[in-house]
Amino acid sequence: MAGRGRADKRVEPTFEGGRGDDDFRLSAGDRITRGSSAGKGGSKPRSRKPTRSRPKRQREGGLSGLLRRIVYWSVVLGLWGGIVLAGIVAYYGARMPSASTWSIPERPPNIKIVSVEGEVIANRGMTGGEALALEDMSPYIPQAVIAIEDRRFYSHFGVDPFGLVRAIINNALPGRGTQGGSTLTQQLAKNLFLSPERTIERKVQEVLLAFWLEHTYTKDQILAMYLNRVYFGSNAYGVEAASRRYFNKSAREVNLGEAALLAGLLKAPSRLSPARDPEAAEARAQVVLGAMREAGFITDDEIKTAMSQPPTRAKRYWSGAGQYVADMVMDDVRTLVGAVEDDLVVETTIDMSLEKKAEAALLDTLARDGEKSKASQAALVSIDGTGAIRALVGGRDYAESQFNRAVKAKRQPGSAFKPFVYVSALEIGLRPESVRNDAPIRIGKWTPENYDQKYRGPVTLTSALANSLNTIAAELVMEVGPEHVVKVAHRLGIESELQANASIALGTSEVSLLELTSAYAPFMNGGYKATPHVVRRITTPDGKILYENDYANPPQVLSEQIVAAMNMMLTHVIEDGTGKNARLKGWPAAGKTGTTQSFRDALFVGYTGNLTTGVWFGNDDGTSMKKVTGGGLPAKAWHEFMTDAHSGLTPMPLGGAPYEPQDMQQQPEPLSIGSIISEVFSPAEERYPAVPAAPVSPAAAEGNAPGMRQAPIPPGEVGRGDATPPQAARRTTLLDIIMGQ
């Protein structure tokens, strides 16, 4: 009883379990004895152990509660985030102009420069290439760009959420490179309208503009605009400019490997440019090929073919001799049509087959003999009888030096100037058969000597010119007067200022190779002025003509008789004179060599009935070559070019009538007192023919004439030993005759 009493006084705690039928409660009056029966039936009462089920029910309740809380707060934060984002978009969107005023900025104008055959020489302008329609590009280009830059381009609405999430995850993982989430549409919007700064405002504006582009234009239009404007490095904007820059071909002709390289440049155009790091560019191209295969654009076999192609080796600058022509054209275009505001097509007079042959001739000669002859540079210009420039090479390598030595460099022509002296002599009545004495001569303090320091005695003018005798040329200048020689040279095409002194006989006044060559053209075309020009026509892309040159009626600057005489004399220079290396098989040709003091410059200017071509060899710094004369490297290069240029053509005679020699047994009588008096008192206009007014090019009027000197070269000394400048020649006077001087 005592034990029961103690038990009756015991108070047990109450436990509450789960829910439903499993709930239970223990009160203070209940008692459960281990191993005893309960109830009348003697059945064993069920024993519940709530302490065993408590942790499980708590865990289930806690996990579900946590999930409920996560979902709840995610929704709350998402709503607030959406509100904040909407506010930011609304704020920055309100700062933008009205969408009704948005428009695509005009693409900077491109100037396409083409040859007479329609072949593209170069594209100039801010972009460096024309815009192409999507269907005109190689199909590999858009495929490569989509595969590596925006694989869901044709399915998203301007912004790619999946791509954005992928970029965020990729950038968050360690060891991964930075990946952008912008679509092609966003990139186009940034390139067209926005600055490159990274701010929230710019990103919001980029998204809004992307939506506008997607709403306004088709996917193909957006892709075409992107490919024609995106930067590919090395100053090339758009696929056409990049293709010509790196592959020297149009984007229409790009193969799979080249397209992959172009697409790979978009990640880092300057760093991955093949002109800067060809290995890095090629490695990136392999990544693009893999992306194209994953996207299903190409097969494994196509990848193997692309990988077997040699890597691209691009020069660090635009290359090819045609680039010198392009520079020259750009100088003329702005003068001819004014400010360039729309795309233009400039049709030139250049024959690209001749242009390539001219470049090859110079490079072959320099590679073969340049180093041992200490000649590092060369230039060539070739024109037809109208003055149209058919080929022009301004230097050894445009990628290394963009200075045009054929147009902008002014140098002494040496004996290549002598034909103008002989024309002057013929115009006062001398003949090729006229005889002069090759002997020591002194003009003031100047004593000109022949190249070989030998004297031949009485020689004809033909022989004197063929052997380039300095003494005879100096005598003729004194006979005709230096002023007359200057007028003849200007009349035939020399535009540079010439010094009217005795040393002009040896070509001491500086001229450009272009003007010297054009001044020889009247010999080959029958006596007509040949104004050098390279622009034939300027049009818009749809064919509207803005400019067209007209050189159909050039002035006559030489008589037919003098043309015939000069052709005969200059032919002897090649046949049995100083220009033997220039002989052409099967073609009548004529020309003249020129070598300046100390072998600083060497020239050969010659012509056939088809072309007049001038060649120069020398060094930019004016240092002497190793005994290189005009009859050496220049004549050899001239021969190589002219042989290739005339291959397959029917030989034609030189311009003008054939020369008819006269009996010169009776030599011209010495000047008499009467003739001297008559000449002294005759008007100057009668003694020296007036120089026909040469048309002044617009470029010259603006100070941008092709002959504009850019790199002055120290003039060579005239004669030997005495460096005193020659005095201006004076004409024989009556007093001289009386005094026997």
Side-chain angles (χ1 to χ4, degrees):
M1 293 298 293
R4 180 180 294 273
R6 287 192 300 269
D8 291 339
K9 293 179 181 179
R10 182 179 179 182
V11 178
E12 297 290 341
T14 300
F15 294 87
E16 294 184 0
R19 57 181 181 273
D21 296 336
D22 293 332
D23 291 347
F24 61 91
R25 185 184 302 273
L26 292 178
S27 61
D30 295 332
R31 184 177 181 182
I32 300 176
T33 304
R34 185 183 299 273
S36 62
S37 303
K40 296 181 180 181
S43 61
K44 185 182 295 184
R46 289 187 301 172
S47 175
R48 296 179 181 271
K49 297 181 179 180
T51 57
R52 294 180 181 177
S53 60
R54 175 184 177 187
K56 181 178 180 180
R57 285 193 297 270
Q58 284 184 344
R59 285 198 303 271
E60 290 177 352
L63 181 61
S64 62
L66 177 63
L67 292 176
R68 284 196 299 270
R69 285 192 296 272
I70 291 174
V71 171
Y72 171 79
W73 285 110
S74 296
V75 172
V76 171
L77 293 176
L79 290 175
W80 278 109
I83 293 172
V84 172
L85 181 61
I88 293 174
V89 171
Y91 172 74
Y92 288 121
R95 293 164 58 91
M96 298 177 65
S98 172
S100 61
T101 64
W102 296 355
S103 62
I104 299 295
E106 292 293 333
R107 188 173 184 269
N110 177 70
I111 301 175
K112 183 167 72 171
I113 303 169
V114 300
S115 66
V116 290
E117 311 95 335
E119 181 178 347
V120 176
I121 298 175
N123 285 280
R124 290 297 169 89
M126 292 184 62
T127 58
E130 62 181 316
L132 295 182
L134 195 62
E135 58 270 18
D136 292 335
M137 302 176 192
S138 166
Y140 293 123
I141 293 178
Q143 291 175 358
V145 171
I146 290 175
I148 196 65
E149 291 290 321
D150 189 359
R151 198 169 299 181
R152 279 179 291 276
F153 172 73
Y154 280 100
S155 60
H156 63 62
F157 48 87
V159 176
D160 184 8
F162 297 102
L164 185 61
V165 172
R166 183 188 68 248
I168 294 174
I169 295 175
N170 179 84
N171 297 338
L173 295 176
R176 299 289 188 91
T178 303
Q179 182 176 354
S182 297
T183 64
L184 292 180
T185 311
Q186 289 176 264
Q187 295 179 43
L188 177 62
K190 179 179 65 177
N191 293 338
L192 290 178
F193 303 103
L194 304 173
S195 65
E197 60 181 349
R198 297 175 178 271
T199 63
I200 296 177
E201 179 178 7
R202 191 202 61 78
K203 197 65 179 178
V204 170
Q205 292 174 345
E206 176 186 302
V207 171
L208 294 176
L209 289 167
F211 290 156
W212 175 78
L213 287 171
E214 292 279 346
H215 175 74
T216 309
Y217 299 95
T218 66
K219 287 287 188 179
D220 285 350
Q221 289 174 324
I222 293 173
L223 184 57
M225 283 190 286
Y226 176 82
L227 293 175
N228 279 308
R229 295 173 185 251
V230 69
Y231 183 56
F232 285 94
S234 297
N235 202 34
Y237 291 83
V239 291
E240 178 69 7
S243 178
R244 293 196 177 276
R245 170 66 180 85
Y246 299 126
F247 316 130
N248 196 26
K249 63 169 67 173
S250 172
R252 300 174 177 88
E253 305 166 359
V254 165
N255 60 36
L256 174 58
E258 293 164 343
L261 188 146
L262 290 179
L265 297 179
L266 299 177
K267 180 179 181 181
S270 298
R271 179 172 60 84
L272 296 176
S273 168
R276 176 179 179 179
D277 192 342
E279 288 75 18
E282 190 64 26
R284 178 63 177 170
Q286 304 299 326
V287 175
V288 175
L289 290 173
M292 294 179 71
R293 178 179 55 188
E294 293 176 4
F297 290 131
I298 58 176
T299 63
D300 290 338
D301 291 339
E302 289 177 302
I303 289 183
K304 292 179 181 178
T305 301
M307 290 184 173
S308 65
Q309 297 169 350
T312 299
R313 298 289 177 180
K315 293 186 178 181
R316 297 184 63 85
Y317 205 84
W318 300 95
S319 60
Q323 299 299 327
Y324 291 111
V325 175
D327 289 346
M328 187 177 176
V329 167
M330 292 303 295
D331 290 339
D332 291 344
V333 165
R334 296 182 179 90
T335 303
L336 297 173
V337 299
V340 179
E341 298 179 352
D342 300 305
D343 286 0
L344 297 179
V345 178
V346 181
E347 301 175 19
T348 70
T349 59
I350 296 295
D351 183 326
M352 281 306 293
S353 64
L354 295 180
E355 181 76 4
K356 294 173 183 177
K357 292 172 182 176
E359 184 176 24
L362 295 188
L363 294 180
D364 290 347
T365 305
L366 284 171
R368 184 175 58 248
D369 301 317
E371 184 175 357
K372 65 182 181 182
S373 301
K374 296 184 179 180
S376 62
Q377 279 294 350
L380 181 150
V381 60
S382 184
I383 66 176
D384 64 16
T386 68
I389 300 174
R390 309 310 303 276
L392 185 145
V393 182
R396 181 174 195 159
D397 188 349
Y398 184 87
E400 294 179 358
S401 171
Q402 293 79 56
F403 179 67
N404 191 335
R405 296 155 188 84
V407 176
K408 295 184 176 181
K410 286 192 176 183
R411 298 172 181 267
Q412 295 178 350
S415 294
F417 191 84
K418 287 178 181 176
F420 310 122
V421 175
Y422 281 79
V423 168
S424 302
L426 295 177
E427 288 189 340
I428 67 168
L430 273 66
R431 303 279 298 176
E433 298 83 6
S434 299
V435 176
R436 290 295 180 270
N437 189 31
D438 179 21
I441 183 176
R442 184 178 183 86
I443 304 175
K445 294 183 179 181
W446 178 45
T447 55
E449 295 180 346
N450 295 324
Y451 168 74
D452 56 5
Q453 300 182 16
K454 297 179 181 179
Y455 300 98
R456 295 161 179 78
V459 294
T460 64
L461 297 191
T462 299
S463 177
L465 182 59
N467 292 283
S468 197
L469 301 181
N470 293 338
T471 57
I472 302 300
E475 289 180 23
L476 294 177
V477 167
M478 298 311 297
E479 284 190 47
V480 303
E483 298 85 356
H484 186 38
V485 176
V486 170
K487 290 180 180 180
V488 167
H490 282 157
R491 192 170 74 219
L492 268 62
I494 299 294
E495 295 182 350
S496 298
E497 181 181 356
L498 302 175
Q499 299 298 319
N501 52 37
S503 68
I504 196 173
L506 275 60
T508 54
S509 292
E510 296 177 340
V511 298
S512 72
L513 181 63
L514 175 62
E515 59 184 327
L516 181 64
T517 303
S518 65
Y520 271 63
F523 301 144
M524 61 88 74
N525 68 14
Y528 295 90
K529 184 176 177 63
T531 303
H533 59 279
V534 70
V535 176
R536 187 166 63 94
R537 184 185 296 117
I538 301 176
T539 68
T540 60
D542 57 5
K544 180 182 177 182
I545 298 177
L546 303 179
Y547 166 81
E548 189 167 13
N549 70 35
D550 183 13
Y551 295 95
N553 298 302
Q556 185 170 1
V557 292
L558 291 176
S559 67
E560 292 184 3
Q561 294 80 9
I562 291 180
V563 169
M566 288 302 302
N567 285 341
M568 185 275 293
M569 297 170 73
L570 291 172
T571 298
H572 277 280
V573 174
I574 290 181
E575 294 300 326
D576 49 25
T578 58
K580 294 178 182 178
N581 283 326
R583 290 175 181 170
L584 296 179
K585 184 177 181 180
W587 274 82
K592 185 67 185 76
T593 58
T595 309
T596 62
Q597 184 74 14
S598 302
F599 304 101
R600 290 191 178 110
D601 304 281
L603 304 95
F604 184 83
V605 183
Y607 55 93
T608 64
N610 185 40
L611 292 172
T612 299
T613 301
V615 179
W616 166 84
F617 276 76
N619 297 300
D620 286 338
D621 58 3
T623 56
S624 299
M625 295 177 287
K626 190 176 181 179
K627 295 186 178 181
V628 176
T629 65
L633 300 187
K636 292 177 181 179
W638 186 93
H639 172 269
E640 180 177 339
F641 166 70
M642 294 292 272
T643 299
D644 291 341
H646 291 79
S647 177
L649 301 179
T650 302
M652 56 188 299
L654 300 177
Y659 176 70
E660 298 179 1
Q662 294 182 356
D663 184 8
M664 296 298 294
Q665 292 182 358
Q666 297 294 330
Q667 296 299 320
E669 296 181 358
L671 292 174
S672 64
I673 295 178
S675 62
I676 291 294
I677 294 175
S678 175
E679 186 174 357
V680 167
F681 289 100
S682 63
E685 292 78 4
E686 296 179 7
R687 296 201 305 268
Y688 304 118
V691 180
V696 179
S697 66
E702 295 294 332
N704 295 322
M708 183 76 67
R709 182 176 180 178
Q710 298 294 326
I713 301 299
E717 298 173 358
V718 178
R720 298 176 57 85
D722 188 358
T724 303
Q727 297 178 355
R730 62 184 181 88
R731 296 189 59 78
T732 304
T733 65
L734 176 60
L735 180 61
D736 295 331
I737 297 296
I738 296 174
M739 299 299 295
Q741 295 180 352

